[in-house]
Structures are given as structure tokens and as C-alpha cells.
Amino acid sequence: MGATGAAEPLHSVLWVKQQRCAVSLEPARAVLRWWRSPGPGAGAPGADACSVPISEIIAVEETDVHGKHHSSGKWQKMEKPYAFTVHCVKRARRHRWKWAQVTFWCPEEQLCHLWLQTLREMLEKLTSRPKHLLVFINPFGGKGQGKQIYERKVAPLFTLASITTDIIVTEHANQAKETLYEINIDKYDGIVCVGGDGMFSEVLHGLIGRTQRSAGVDQNHPRAVLVPSSLRIGIIPAGSTDCVCYSTVGTSDAETSALHIVVGDSLAMDVSSVHHNSTLLRYSVSLLGYGFYGDIIKDSEKKRWLGLARYDFSGLKTFLSHHCYEGTVSFLPAQHTVGSPRDGKPCRAGCFVCRQSRQQLEEEQKKALYGLEAAEDVEEWQVVCGKFLAINATNMSCACRRSPGGLSPAAHLGDGSSDLILIRKCSRFNFLRFLIRHTNQQDQFDFTFVEVYRVKKFQFTSKHVEDEDSDLKEGGKKRFGHICSSHPSCCCAVSNSSWNCDGEVLHSPSIEVRVHCQLVRLFARGIEENLKPDSHS
């Protein structure tokens, strides 16, 4: 019937949904397969064959068959049926994953136990799976459904997968960040945050900050080489936009995210540090926006009583205000990357661009370390100055339900670079055309007033605070070659905007930003190419 031990292939004739099936388990391929086999022998798998990778099996349980009645004649020979149930991942539409179960019926108890033992041994060998997690739940974020979402959709899956948890329901802002600085995190295999992008940002800041403190790294130093944490972060989306989850998994579905955590997926992601005058302001993983997006977030903070409608209201108000801001953007092009912002190649699971770019960046850093090539001080910085409606820097596509392509559709999660998008002063009509392109498939950078660069560092100095930040400016003069353009003077009286840093307001207009390649890891695998949904449930 089959060989003993997990190293040998296992082949049996079992029953699935009252149909006689050939079932195959090949440890070398780590795939469980089954197909209809009505006649004697196993037969060859046909087009209707089902399969599930061992890595996507959640758990295997012995099924209680007592008291079950099988009226079909096919079952009459099985006087004492034995069964086991495989709980696994099933792919659905729009990148969603579902929890599915398949029950296999065996004619003999010994055969049933052999299958159970073999499958469980293979699951035990999957060392990337978490066993003990720290969970933070924000009960206030989004529509205030975080606790219910966790209890209804996530906790049953964690229990099924034998994952133990310590749960903290947060009561005030920054509690998650403060907790991560104080507690012993060595006993956990990962941190899970249930909430929106703000909750994720709290956990991110706590984990990065705690890791740097333990490693003796000064986060306030703009050139500090940050140390990656060994812990992964899981995001259970329960916010208003859930941009980070949407950009890394392809959906903001809580069950999908929980299953990525259960199977132990891992995705390395870039993080940008944002400094002002040698002080760390914040870390950013999605959007840094000055001008349009900075004004929206600043205005919406005053209108929290409106709920989620405040973003629409502030967005319309900011669009009609049509303020532009004068300043200087200096940036260091990311020459190590193998992609470009307009190459039409989005970041996907197993991304070649992220893998190759990281290798090239490491080579670049080794050469600089041994003095074989010029260090940052004499690298080719570029400068663009003028009047801008918006300055956006994205470490990811920033996709969400409203904007499926995001602010930069070809931005990569782990290539050590950020896409810097400059929108110069233009008419309201042209700016509206640009914004509309975020909702469709057209190239949103195909305008004369829009420039996009892939960078690994950039600085911005507002014209109205150049004296205040003269240290940044003087340092820049030595190594910058200007590419300035003359534009008509702005009619706006407003001098400075604020920066929108992943949904939080930064009041200092002058900042220095550096991308840290693959600094954190998520329980995710990146957006998978659209595959045909599974049919093994």
C-alpha cells in the first residue's frame, strides 16, 4: 500500500467525496495529489487531478467517523471506515486565499495512520512556520472591527495550526511600540498587528527601534547602517486603506493574511529612514508625500469627527486649493537596480528585480568598503528645483482598492530603492488628468509636468527654510550639478507644506531620506501572478 517513513513516496487508493481516487504523496516533490480512479489500479492523473503543496497544508487531523451513515453502495465494503482530513489553502479570485478541507477515507486503520504519520512528519520539517506569536489588536482602527475580525477569522486558523499567542488589545496610541521596547521578544517567532497602516507603522517602529538599541546602533545618525530584525511581522488588515497589506499580498482580506502567517511565508521589504538635522523623524515603507498628499493628511487630522469621509473631504478641498511649493530636491540615483519606474514590470512573488538589485547593491557596498570605488560623498547626486504641486516617494506600489495600480505601479518592495515622483506646477485640469490615471491602466508618468526617478537617497529643502537648513545645502553644493528649469511664478501665498509619512504628519518640510534594503520581513510572499483558482475543496 505504501512505504514506511516520510522519505519514501506513498501511493494508495482512497475515497474522496464518495469517489474512488488514487492518492499520491512524493516527499521529493513535497506535493499531495489525488485524481479519480474508478477502475482497478491507480490509473494516470487526468485534467481533473487535484494537488496541494505540503507547504500549503495547514494541519492534518484524524476524522471521527463514528455515527456517520453512508447510504451509497460504494461504501458497503467499508464496514469500519477510517478517515483523515487535510486542512489546506485554496486560492480564490483576486489573490484571496481560503481555508479548505479535504477528507480521505481509508479501508484500513493501519493505512490511515500511515498517511497521518507521514503527512505530519513532513509538516514538522517546515521550520519557517511560527509556533508562538505576539498579537497586537487595535480595537479603534478603521471601522472598529479589529477584535471581531481576529476572533472570527484568525484565531480559529491559529488554533488549527497549533500556533500559541499572547494577545494585547491596545488602549492608546504608541502602546505597541512602547511594549516592543520593554518586553522580552526573544520567545516569539513573529509579531502580528491587527489594524490598519497606522498599527503596522507602530509595530514597525517598535521592532526596528528595539533591534537597533540591542545592536548599539544610533538611529538618529542619517548614515547609520541599520540591523535587520530576525522577527517577521504579520498584518491582519482591519483599517481604512490597508495599503501595506494590499501592496504585499494583493488583497486586504483577513483570512488570506492569516493563512500567509500560518504557512510561514517570508517577504523582505525596504524601509526608508527620514531625518531632519541628524534626528530621526520616522520610518516609511509606503508613501512619503509633500504638497498634495501632505496637505490632505494635515487637513484631515482636524476633521477626525467626520470618520473615513474626512479623506474625501480634505482631498477635494486640497485639490481646489491647488497650492504649489517651491524647493530643491537632491537625489542619488539607484544605479544598482535592474528595473526602472516605467518598465511596466510590477513586483511579484519571487521577484527577480528585487533579488538581482539586492545582489548588485551588496556588490556596490563591498567595493566601497574596500575602497575600490568612490563612496557616497563623491557619487553623482542630481538636483531638481522649482515649484511643485506634489513630491511623492514610494517604496512600494501603494496600491489599494481605489487605486489598484497604486502611485507607482512598477515600484519594488525589496530592491533597495524608492520611486521619486515630482509633479511640477500645472493647471488644475492637468493635475486632475494625472490623478485620474491612478485609477486606470494608463501610464500616469506620461505628462510633461511629471518626472520620476528611482533613487536610493534624496533630500528636500523648502525655499522658505533654506537658511534654517544651510548645513544640508552647503553639504550639497559641493557635489550637486544643477538641472533647474524656469517656471512661471506661483500665485499661492502658502510657503510650506507638510510631509505625509505613511499617514502621519511630519511638520518639518526639509528632510533627508535613505532607503535601507530589505530591512524588515513580513509574513507574506508578494503578489502572486494570477493563477486559476484551485478546485480541491
Side-chain angles (χ1 to χ4, degrees):
M1 282 292 186
T4 55
E8 297 296 326
L10 202 51
H11 302 283
S12 302
V13 173
L14 307 177
W15 295 77
V16 180
K17 291 184 178 177
Q18 299 191 3
Q19 290 182 336
R20 187 177 186 276
C21 290
V23 187
S24 161
L25 176 64
E26 296 183 26
R29 293 178 61 199
V31 173
L32 174 66
R33 299 182 75 201
W34 63 99
W35 58 94
R36 286 184 63 187
S37 178
D48 61 342
C50 300
S51 67
V52 59
I54 299 301
S55 62
E56 291 178 11
I57 292 177
I58 303 161
V60 185
E61 290 183 321
E62 190 165 4
T63 308
D64 181 18
V65 295
H66 297 294
K68 294 195 177 182
H69 300 285
H70 308 288
S71 56
S72 169
K74 294 173 187 175
W75 293 96
Q76 287 174 1
K77 291 180 184 177
M78 224 181 279
E79 293 174 12
K80 290 183 178 178
Y82 300 92
F84 63 93
T85 298
V86 173
H87 299 269
C88 57
V89 169
K90 175 188 175 184
R91 282 167 177 74
R93 294 177 184 276
R94 297 187 180 92
H95 305 292
R96 286 177 300 141
W97 283 11
K98 296 293 177 191
W99 167 17
Q101 301 94 36
V102 187
T103 299
F104 296 88
W105 298 84
C106 309
E108 301 164 13
E109 184 178 15
Q110 188 180 357
L111 180 64
C112 183
H113 286 164
L114 175 62
W115 275 94
L116 274 167
Q117 179 192 347
T118 306
L119 284 166
R120 283 173 175 166
E121 282 176 5
M122 292 185 74
L123 290 179
E124 278 294 312
K125 290 178 180 176
L126 300 174
T127 55
S128 64
R129 294 195 171 189
K131 291 182 170 61
H132 191 41
L133 295 169
L134 175 61
V135 180
F136 290 102
I137 300 175
N138 178 1
F140 311 111
K143 295 175 183 172
Q145 298 289 305
K147 203 163 181 292
Q148 295 92 312
I149 287 171
Y150 179 80
E151 288 168 356
R152 198 169 68 248
K153 296 188 175 181
V154 182
L157 285 168
F158 284 179
T159 302
L160 180 66
S162 303
I163 295 172
T164 56
T165 55
D166 289 341
I167 299 171
I168 297 173
V169 179
T170 58
E171 297 170 359
H172 58 83
N174 284 320
Q175 184 179 342
K177 179 183 173 183
E178 292 160 5
T179 303
L180 287 170
Y181 267 90
E182 294 164 6
I183 64 166
N184 173 23
I185 58 174
D186 296 337
K187 60 180 178 177
Y188 299 110
D189 300 313
I191 317 291
V192 174
C193 54
V194 184
D197 292 329
M199 188 63 182
F200 169 74
S201 186
E202 264 197 51
V203 169
L204 176 88
H205 281 79
L207 193 57
I208 294 176
R210 170 66 180 265
T211 306
Q212 305 324 303
R213 188 184 71 181
S214 299
V217 175
D218 180 8
Q219 295 180 90
N220 286 315
H221 197 298
R223 289 197 180 184
V225 177
L226 301 184
V227 177
S229 170
S230 59
L231 294 181
R232 286 167 284 176
I233 303 174
I235 309 171
I236 303 297
S240 47
T241 55
D242 299 310
C243 167
V244 179
C245 192
Y246 201 97
S247 297
T248 54
V249 178
T251 180
S252 50
D253 173 66
E255 184 179 350
T256 302
S257 292
L259 288 167
H260 279 287
I261 296 169
V262 165
V263 303
D265 276 338
S266 184
L267 177 69
M269 191 170 71
D270 296 340
V271 177
S272 289
S273 56
V274 186
H275 286 82
H276 171 71
N277 283 350
S278 295
T279 301
L280 175 72
L281 300 180
R282 280 188 81 79
Y283 292 110
S284 169
V285 295
S286 54
L287 170 70
L288 263 171
Y290 185 80
F292 183 70
Y293 287 106
D295 291 351
I296 288 175
I297 201 71
K298 189 176 180 182
D299 188 73
S300 69
E301 285 295 299
K302 305 168 193 169
K303 299 178 175 62
R304 284 192 166 270
W305 53 274
L306 275 173
L308 298 181
R310 68 187 186 270
Y311 297 114
D312 293 328
F313 183 88
S314 295
L316 179 61
K317 178 183 169 185
T318 303
F319 173 76
L320 293 173
S321 301
H322 202 61
H323 288 143
C324 67
Y325 303 92
E326 195 166 359
T328 302
V329 183
S330 319
F331 61 89
L332 188 60
Q335 293 173 342
H336 67 279
T337 57
V338 295
S340 71
R342 297 183 68 179
D343 61 15
K345 294 177 183 173
C347 192
R348 290 293 179 258
C351 182
F352 169 80
V353 171
C354 291
R355 196 166 61 247
Q356 287 292 105
S357 297
R358 180 182 175 117
Q359 286 174 5
Q360 302 234 38
L361 183 63
E362 286 173 349
E363 287 299 314
E364 210 176 83
Q365 289 166 342
K366 276 181 197 168
K367 287 178 182 175
L369 189 67
Y370 293 111
L372 299 175
E373 278 192 3
E376 290 170 359
D377 287 328
V378 288
E379 284 184 290
E380 284 289 317
W381 284 72
Q382 295 182 19
V383 173
V384 179
C385 53
K387 297 181 176 71
F388 305 97
L389 282 167
I391 297 169
N392 299 328
T394 66
N395 282 23
M396 56 177 62
S397 67
C398 292
C400 63
R401 285 179 291 268
R402 286 188 174 186
S403 176
L407 297 181
S408 187
H412 287 270
L413 293 164
D415 69 343
S417 73
S418 182
D419 284 0
L420 180 64
I421 307 160
L422 310 178
I423 300 97
R424 291 188 182 269
K425 185 173 183 275
C426 63
S427 68
R428 272 193 193 86
F429 176 68
N430 274 339
F431 188 53
L432 180 62
R433 287 171 63 210
F434 167 73
L435 292 175
I436 287 172
R437 292 230 178 147
H438 291 84
T439 64
N440 59 38
Q441 299 299 311
Q442 289 180 279
D443 181 0
Q444 59 211 47
F445 305 129
D446 190 21
F447 293 104
T448 54
F449 55 88
V450 177
E451 299 166 37
V452 60
Y453 306 93
R454 191 152 279 178
V455 306
K456 58 182 179 182
K457 285 185 176 188
F458 78 91
Q459 298 174 0
F460 174 75
T461 309
S462 166
K463 187 176 189 304
H464 298 270
V465 288
E466 281 181 344
D467 293 338
E468 174 197 329
D469 284 344
S470 59
D471 56 332
L472 276 178
K473 194 179 178 212
E474 288 303 315
K477 273 183 181 175
K478 295 171 188 171
R479 57 182 192 265
F480 300 155
H482 278 269
I483 348 168
C484 297
S485 305
S486 57
H487 284 265
S489 60
C490 179
C491 57
C492 308
V494 183
S495 57
N496 289 323
S497 177
S498 301
W499 283 93
N500 175 344
C501 179
D502 294 0
E504 296 293 326
V505 180
L506 300 183
H507 295 287
S508 171
S510 298
I511 60 170
E512 186 176 352
V513 180
R514 176 179 178 177
V515 184
H516 300 267
C517 187
Q518 301 188 12
L519 184 65
V520 297
R521 287 185 302 145
L522 303 186
F523 283 107
R525 66 172 62 175
I527 298 172
E528 294 184 302
E529 296 290 355
N530 281 314
L531 303 169
K532 190 178 80 171
D534 294 343
S535 57
H536 57 241
S537 61

